[in-house]
Amino acid sequence: MSAFTAGIERWGELLRALTNARPGSPDFQPTLQSFGVELEAWLRATHPFAAAAAGADPTGRMAELLSDWGRLQSQLAGHWSTVARAATEKFSAQVGALAADGGLGDPRKVFARWIDCAEEAYAETAHSEAFARLVADVTNTAVALQLEGRRLVEERSRAAGMPTRHEIDVLTQRIEQLERELQARTKTKPRRSGKPRAKGKRRQ
Amino acid sequence: MTTVCSTEVVWQKDKAVLYRYLPLASVKSARVRPVLISYALVNRPDVLDLQPDRSLVRRLLAAGLDVYLLDWGRPDESDRELELSDYIEGYLDGAIRYVLKTRRMLSINLLGVCQGGTLSLCYCALHPKRVANLVTMVTPVDFHTPADLLSKWARHLDTEALRQAGNLSGAVLTGVFLSLRPFRLMVQKYVELLDRHDDRDALETFCRMEKWIFDSPDQAATAFAQYLRGFYQENRLVRGALEIAGARVDLRNISQPVLNIYARQDHIVPPAASTALRDHVGSADYTELPVDTGHIGMYVSQRTQATVATAIASWLIERRSSSRD
């Protein structure tokens, strides 16, 4: 939350600086570039895919997975840089038109245009095959870390004679299967014929 | 489930609950078969009855329809082995059979929303005689269209590992949805709120939407893995390769009237993902209704709700004498 609010405050400062600056003045371009810098920082700190894995036992498989995780996060950071750069380029290209029709003095218009540029740049990356594969690798590695952590815990639980997740899963599977079989039998159960019983005879 | 309109619980199985909405006072019945709403598993259905002036359900009731809604519940780890077949053949079928039995009918109207629409299509293809008319809203059918970002991200996921890891946290799924448009959904939306800081009604509506967005239920591990693999990765529904409980799902079995409503600016279910239905159903009475809104706007935009609810009600009333019974 603090990264989020800090980001908003910083963008507010940049918007004020940009609306007060004039195109062509010495501080105009650096101010524009600052938008890209802040965007990249926001993505690193706030994007859901950039969340860090839980701590784990750094031995063997776990160490290997953590190393993979670090490598993948670096690749992800590379994509955030690409998005920030592309967003800044698009925004720079459009800010001239904004200035020409007097829109630069309206922070709302400037911000809306900045968001449009950011989303457009993000979409170019997000739809790419490289990013899609990276998202899958990040997710698969996070899941593998979770499973490896659980395996380590299960080893210790088994040694202590305690029930494990795996044993509970197997039991649950059996119960679910029994319920499905029961449901299937209930649905296909033949209806009673409704024929009246002969007099004097009792149902056993 | 939080509702604005009054409801009664009429059927329950495990965590799935079937609600019947009580008719509105002084509204004349449209005398059509009951409508059962099947919502997505990935969000709570409360959004369909969010507040008095933003309630698709209320508008359907006001049109004289008899409305049921199936709430799938909130899975916990005891539900991790639930399969898609349990949702379709267990809960949805159980709820529909209950309505048919208690209302002494052979078929009902089914309204499937988003993933709930996909599940409804599967159900309809497997049990066509039990559905008189089918309405789908923002429903993905073809999961491999070019604009489908979720599909691209899902393509290389290890679904077996995901299944083993247990139920998928609702918070994680919410993060994924927000990642589709991070700047609009995680920044701009809040900045624009400043313009409405003195509008209490707007602020309350915003807060209700926020509560819904961040109230996603966890997903049962096995069913979620099956959905990812069967639909997003292998696109089996439109390839005719999907099986539920051993039975093949053939969309050509859907011969009853179909109304397919989709959002033109839908970034979660791109229009092409929904309109693909027209090339696969066997129905001779197939209608599409495009709406100028986004995925969420379809449920909560006041302007859209008026259009959509009226369209659904009119379409069903026109077909009230369907020969299913």
Side-chain angles (χ1 to χ4, degrees), chain A residues 15-35:
Chain A
L15 278 172
R16 275 193 292 276
L18 191 67
T19 51
N20 288 330
R22 292 285 174 271
S25 64
D27 56 349
F28 190 78
Q29 280 301 325
T31 305
L32 270 182
Q33 295 301 323
S34 298
F35 273 81

Side-chain angles (χ1 to χ4, degrees), chain B residues 5-66:
Chain B
C5 300
S6 300
T7 59
E8 56 179 352
V9 174
V10 295
W11 176 87
Q12 208 162 332
K13 183 177 174 165
D14 301 330
K15 293 186 177 72
V17 178
L18 180 66
Y19 293 90
R20 183 181 177 210
Y21 283 89
L22 301 180
L24 298 178
S26 70
V27 170
K28 195 176 158 191
S29 169
R31 300 173 68 81
V32 299
R33 284 186 186 78
V35 180
L36 190 148
I37 300 176
S38 162
Y39 194 74
L41 300 173
V42 297
N43 287 114
R44 297 290 302 147
D46 313 38
V47 73
L48 299 179
D49 189 22
L50 191 73
Q51 58 192 51
D53 61 339
R54 289 176 196 267
S55 168
L56 180 68
V57 168
R58 187 179 182 81
R59 291 180 188 269
L60 294 176
L61 292 170
L65 299 185
D66 188 0

Side-chain angles (χ1 to χ4, degrees), chain A residues 4 8 11 39 42-43 46-49 83 108 111-112 115-116 118-119 122-123 126-129 131-133 135-137 139-140 143-144 146-147 150 165 169-170 172-173 176-177 179-180 183 187, chain B residues 13-14 77-83 85-86 89-90 93-94 97 146-149 152-153 156-159 161-166 175-176 178-188 190-191 195:
Chain A
F4 175 84
I8 294 290
W11 283 13
L39 185 76
W42 183 86
L43 281 167
T46 319
H47 193 287
F49 289 161
V83 170
R108 284 181 184 78
F111 186 69
I115 292 295
D116 287 345
E119 284 290 359
Y122 180 80
H127 277 272
S128 69
E129 175 66 17
F131 187 81
R133 284 198 175 265
V135 162
D137 288 343
T139 307
N140 292 340
V143 171
Q146 184 183 349
L147 290 175
R150 191 176 294 169
R165 177 79 249 172
D169 286 348
V170 167
T172 310
Q173 281 169 14
E176 293 286 349
Q177 189 54 39
E179 284 184 344
R180 284 182 202 117
Q183 185 174 283
K187 279 186 184 176
Chain B
K13 183 177 174 165
D14 301 330
E77 285 298 327
S78 69
D79 301 305
R80 59 190 283 152
E81 299 297 334
L82 282 178
E83 299 185 10
S85 59
D86 294 310
E89 297 288 25
D93 183 58
R97 280 170 176 263
D148 195 333
L149 187 52
K152 289 175 184 171
W153 288 354
H156 307 290
L157 292 177
D158 184 346
T159 57
L162 274 170
R163 190 194 67 77
Q164 289 175 21
V176 172
L178 294 176
S179 300
L180 297 175
R181 285 193 175 168
F183 306 112
R184 289 203 205 290
L185 299 177
M186 295 165 69
V187 181
Q188 188 179 38
Y190 299 104
V191 172
D195 285 335

Side-chain angles (χ1 to χ4, degrees), chain B residues 9-263:
Chain B
V9 174
V10 295
W11 176 87
Q12 208 162 332
K13 183 177 174 165
D14 301 330
K15 293 186 177 72
V17 178
L18 180 66
Y19 293 90
R20 183 181 177 210
Y21 283 89
L22 301 180
L24 298 178
S26 70
V27 170
K28 195 176 158 191
S29 169
R31 300 173 68 81
V32 299
R33 284 186 186 78
V35 180
L36 190 148
I37 300 176
S38 162
Y39 194 74
L41 300 173
V42 297
N43 287 114
R44 297 290 302 147
D46 313 38
V47 73
L48 299 179
D49 189 22
L50 191 73
Q51 58 192 51
D53 61 339
R54 289 176 196 267
S55 168
L56 180 68
V57 168
R58 187 179 182 81
R59 291 180 188 269
L60 294 176
L61 292 170
L65 299 185
D66 188 0
V67 181
Y68 292 79
L69 185 142
L70 178 58
D71 181 349
W72 305 107
R74 294 179 184 273
D76 57 35
E77 285 298 327
S78 69
D79 301 305
R80 59 190 283 152
E81 299 297 334
L82 282 178
E83 299 185 10
L84 282 180
S85 59
D86 294 310
Y87 282 99
I88 295 169
E89 297 288 25
Y91 304 137
L92 183 55
D93 183 58
I96 289 174
R97 280 170 176 263
Y98 167 82
V99 176
L100 295 179
K101 183 179 173 186
T102 54
R103 304 296 293 272
R104 300 177 196 273
M105 295 174 174
L106 296 178
S107 62
I108 60 164
N109 292 317
L110 186 55
L111 166 54
V113 184
C114 189
Q115 182 191 28
T118 312
L119 301 181
S120 297
L121 284 168
C122 294
Y123 183 84
C124 214
L126 293 168
H127 306 284
K129 289 184 180 170
R130 295 194 196 131
V131 180
N133 300 288
L134 176 65
V135 181
T136 51
M137 275 175 64
V138 290
T139 292
V141 178
D142 184 346
F143 289 74
H144 283 188
T145 56
D148 195 333
L149 187 52
L150 272 178
S151 173
K152 289 175 184 171
W153 288 354
R155 207 67 59 87
H156 307 290
L157 292 177
D158 184 346
T159 57
E160 177 52 27
L162 274 170
R163 190 194 67 77
Q164 289 175 21
N167 292 352
L168 181 75
S169 153
V172 168
L173 202 52
T174 298
V176 172
F177 287 130
L178 294 176
S179 300
L180 297 175
R181 285 193 175 168
F183 306 112
R184 289 203 205 290
L185 299 177
M186 295 165 69
V187 181
Q188 188 179 38
K189 183 176 69 167
Y190 299 104
V191 172
E192 286 178 345
L193 193 60
L194 296 171
D195 285 335
R196 290 172 281 162
H197 69 279
D198 55 356
D199 183 341
R200 188 188 172 90
D201 289 342
L203 290 176
E204 286 186 1
T205 300
F206 183 88
C207 286
R208 284 193 191 96
M209 280 304 301
E210 284 293 284
K211 181 171 180 285
W212 173 77
I213 287 166
F214 291 97
D215 189 28
S216 294
D218 293 348
Q219 297 299 293
T222 302
F224 182 72
Q226 288 176 337
Y227 191 71
L228 265 188
R229 177 174 286 284
F231 292 87
Y232 276 99
Q233 292 185 346
E234 299 178 5
N235 208 15
R236 287 188 199 157
L237 184 62
V238 290
R239 291 196 300 112
L242 182 70
E243 283 192 3
I244 297 292
R248 196 162 74 88
V249 177
D250 187 348
L251 290 175
R252 288 170 301 182
N253 287 343
I254 299 175
S255 57
Q256 54 272 79
V258 175
L259 172 62
N260 188 14
I261 306 172
Y262 66 93

Side-chain angles (χ1 to χ4, degrees), chain A residues 136-154:
Chain A
D137 288 343
V138 166
T139 307
N140 292 340
T141 303
V143 171
L145 275 165
Q146 184 183 349
L147 290 175
E148 180 61 17
R150 191 176 294 169
R151 187 189 67 78
L152 292 170
V153 169
E154 294 229 334

